Amino acid sequence: MSQNPVTSAPQTPDDWRIPTALMTDHYELTMLQAALKAGTAHRRSRFELFTRRLPSGRRYGVVAGVGRALEGLSRFRFDTPELDFLADTTALDDATLAWLADFEFTGDIVGYAEGEAYFPHSPLLQVESTFAEACILETYLLSIYNYDSAVASAASRMTAVADGRPCAEMGSRRTHEEAAVAAARAAAVAGFTATSNLEAGRRYGIPTVGTAAHSFTLLHDSERAAFEAQVAALGADTTLLVDTYDVEEGVRTAVDVAGPALRNVRVDSGDLVVQAHRVRELLDELGNTQTGIMVTSDLDEYAIASLRSAPVSSYGVGTRLVTGSGAPTASMVYKLVARQDDDGEWVDVAKASSGKASRGGRKEAARRRDRRGRATAEVVGVNRGAAPDADDRPLLHRFVHAGELAGGWTGPEAVTRAAERHAASLRELPASVGRLQPGDPAIPTIFLED
């Protein structure tokens, strides 16, 4: 596998490579300063990113954000503008500012592949470096993993109940402009086939879709005039929005204007189950048996599940997707789990607070499977291997070694591979992962310790 230095950004357009070093919390740098003064900043340390629990009722989560995090790591530098800001607005001393000016990540990072399913206490990311280097990455890594994984986990539930019908991400107007791009990417990791967001298409090669809103119909003197204008511009291979006025009349007008080659009609309001059945009947009566029905209107996994028996061709999902469908964060944390002492010996460390305990030590992880290849447990070895059984599938991959970025984890191709990995990961899990009812994680997490 080819190696690219972390100092070299992925092969992506220059104009969106914004600096990332200040996308962090103030206390990361005050900890750095205190550790530098104490002489402990250069102790070799291991940090682990994981979640203690899944959102209420969820049976699994989906890892997303790996590629974005690695892309950002290449830009995590403190250049003159960042250093000037810190010098003017914080109490950081000259020694700390000088350390930041020379910062480059030189450590190792391993973790779960993007698109992989995860469970409570899965060691999703492990960062080994000096305390100083790993510490200042905490907020940045968590902000990406928590949001992207929340969206991907929601998207996975939606694509699972869609039963192979395409889902398109359409939530850009419901979130921050950069979060919109991240959400589109995370949704693609979990099986969404397209996005309305053009920037996501440019950065990550995700197919983009979109035709017209209600305002386009209202702009024209009649619904017919609007449809004629759209078909004249885009051809009959388009989607006509038929619920600006009366749905049935809209369908009749759409068929009259576009003919049997019309790709889709879109319904965005009302009782979608009833509407879909009536629209299908009407399309068939009018001879448009090949015209599909796309539904939108604040869909989530429960609404999509309710439409399983309806003659729907595809779904457009916005608000509920980009907000995690009730779980806007994956609740991941980033904890120090081991460090070297002054003699270079590794010491396991762990937080013992009630309800927030962590488990110290270096982790290995594997998916335990039965003879049929069905997953039965998440096995985590602490300071030992985790795959004693030949059927166990190792879960950790090397992303960065000695500051060098492994190839294959960033860019458009990585999104495609992550989507394939996500589908394979879910096929491996018990059938219970497809249930929307509250329940325990689909498989238990088992710790192996010497």
Side-chain angles (χ1 to χ4, degrees):
M1 185 176 290
S2 62
Q3 301 285 316
N4 298 312
V6 169
T7 51
S8 298
Q11 294 181 357
T12 41
D14 289 332
D15 50 355
W16 60 267
R17 290 181 187 157
I18 58 175
T20 57
L22 294 185
M23 293 180 178
T24 191
D25 287 324
H26 188 117
Y27 86 153
E28 312 290 10
L29 301 189
T30 55
M31 281 194 290
L32 168 65
Q33 178 164 297
L36 287 170
K37 281 185 173 293
T40 53
H42 303 296
R43 282 183 172 175
R44 197 75 177 172
S45 301
R46 293 190 183 114
F47 279 80
E48 179 184 324
L49 187 151
F50 65 96
T51 186
R52 298 184 178 93
R53 61 190 66 85
L54 298 174
S56 178
R58 299 281 179 94
R59 297 172 185 263
Y60 68 100
V62 177
V63 180
V66 175
R68 287 210 312 123
L70 295 174
E71 289 166 4
L73 184 59
S74 70
R75 304 187 301 278
F76 204 96
R77 299 287 183 273
F78 294 86
D79 295 324
T80 300
E82 290 79 31
L83 294 169
D84 287 347
F85 168 79
L86 293 173
D88 292 341
T89 61
T90 69
L92 296 181
D93 60 24
D94 290 342
T96 303
L97 292 171
W99 186 92
L100 292 172
D102 292 335
F103 171 76
E104 282 187 17
F105 183 75
T106 62
D108 300 333
I109 301 177
V110 299
Y112 280 38
E114 194 154 22
E116 186 67 75
Y118 71 85
F119 302 92
H121 299 285
S122 294
L124 304 183
L125 195 72
Q126 296 182 79
V127 179
E128 181 178 322
S129 64
T130 66
F131 175 85
E133 290 184 28
C135 171
I136 65 171
L137 296 179
E138 175 183 8
T139 301
Y140 180 66
L141 292 174
L142 284 174
S143 67
I144 292 176
Y145 268 70
N146 266 315
Y147 181 70
D148 291 33
S149 297
V151 172
S153 298
S156 179
R157 284 161 62 88
M158 295 173 190
T159 55
V161 297
D163 285 338
R165 297 170 179 174
C167 295
E169 183 279 319
M170 297 181 171
S172 294
R173 65 194 64 190
R174 302 302 189 207
T175 188
H176 177 271
E177 65 272 14
E178 277 295 321
V181 180
R185 185 186 181 283
V189 166
F192 272 59
T193 59
T195 178
S196 64
N197 190 284
L198 292 173
E199 183 63 13
R202 183 172 77 104
R203 293 187 194 181
Y204 300 112
I206 304 169
T208 60
V209 295
T211 51
H214 291 102
S215 61
F216 184 78
T217 300
L218 297 171
L219 168 68
H220 293 80
D221 294 336
S222 68
E223 188 173 55
R224 175 177 293 273
F227 289 173
E228 288 173 344
Q230 184 174 327
V231 171
L234 304 177
D237 188 27
T238 189
T239 299
L240 295 176
L241 180 58
V242 296
D243 70 338
T244 304
Y245 304 114
D246 178 78
V247 173
E248 291 197 20
E249 186 61 32
V251 171
R252 292 181 185 278
T253 303
V255 170
D256 193 38
V257 169
L262 176 62
R263 173 185 285 189
N264 288 313
V265 295
R266 178 162 74 95
V267 181
D268 188 53
S269 59
D271 186 325
L272 296 178
V273 175
V274 173
Q275 296 270 42
H277 280 288
R278 179 55 187 143
V279 168
R280 182 73 271 156
E281 290 174 1
L282 190 54
L283 286 169
D284 291 347
E285 288 173 11
L286 297 170
N288 277 48
T289 57
Q290 300 304 307
T291 297
I293 301 171
M294 183 179 197
V295 295
T296 51
S297 187
D298 290 329
L299 298 179
D300 61 10
E301 61 266 47
Y302 300 100
I304 293 172
S306 74
L307 287 159
R308 273 176 166 164
S309 62
V312 172
S313 304
S314 58
Y315 305 95
V317 191
T319 303
R320 296 290 288 175
L321 174 62
V322 301
T323 56
S325 196
T329 175
S331 298
M332 293 176 183
V333 294
Y334 181 85
K335 299 299 178 184
L336 180 66
V337 295
R339 62 167 176 81
Q340 288 183 337
D341 61 20
D342 290 337
D343 296 324
E345 296 295 322
W346 281 100
V347 178
D348 291 352
V349 296
K351 184 176 178 180
S353 305
S354 176
K356 291 189 174 184
S358 59
R359 190 182 295 261
R362 178 184 58 81
K363 309 299 194 304
E364 294 287 342
R367 189 74 38 84
R368 177 156 294 171
R369 300 179 294 185
D370 61 21
R371 292 179 180 177
R372 298 174 300 164
R374 184 72 68 184
T376 60
E378 192 90 337
V379 181
V380 180
V382 182
N383 295 323
R384 53 159 290 174
D389 192 312
D391 292 326
D392 293 350
R393 178 169 66 87
L395 294 170
L396 294 179
H397 300 262
R398 185 168 298 283
F399 301 145
V400 180
H401 177 63
E404 299 247 332
L405 176 64
W409 298 106
T410 60
E413 297 80 8
V415 178
T416 301
R417 284 192 289 271
E420 294 169 352
R421 189 178 298 111
H422 167 259
S425 182
L426 260 59
R427 285 195 299 268
E428 184 181 68
L429 295 174
S432 62
V433 297
R435 298 174 188 164
L436 298 182
Q437 299 89 341
D440 294 330
I443 57 176
T445 301
I446 298 172
F447 286 94
L448 304 179
E449 300 184 70
D450 290 328

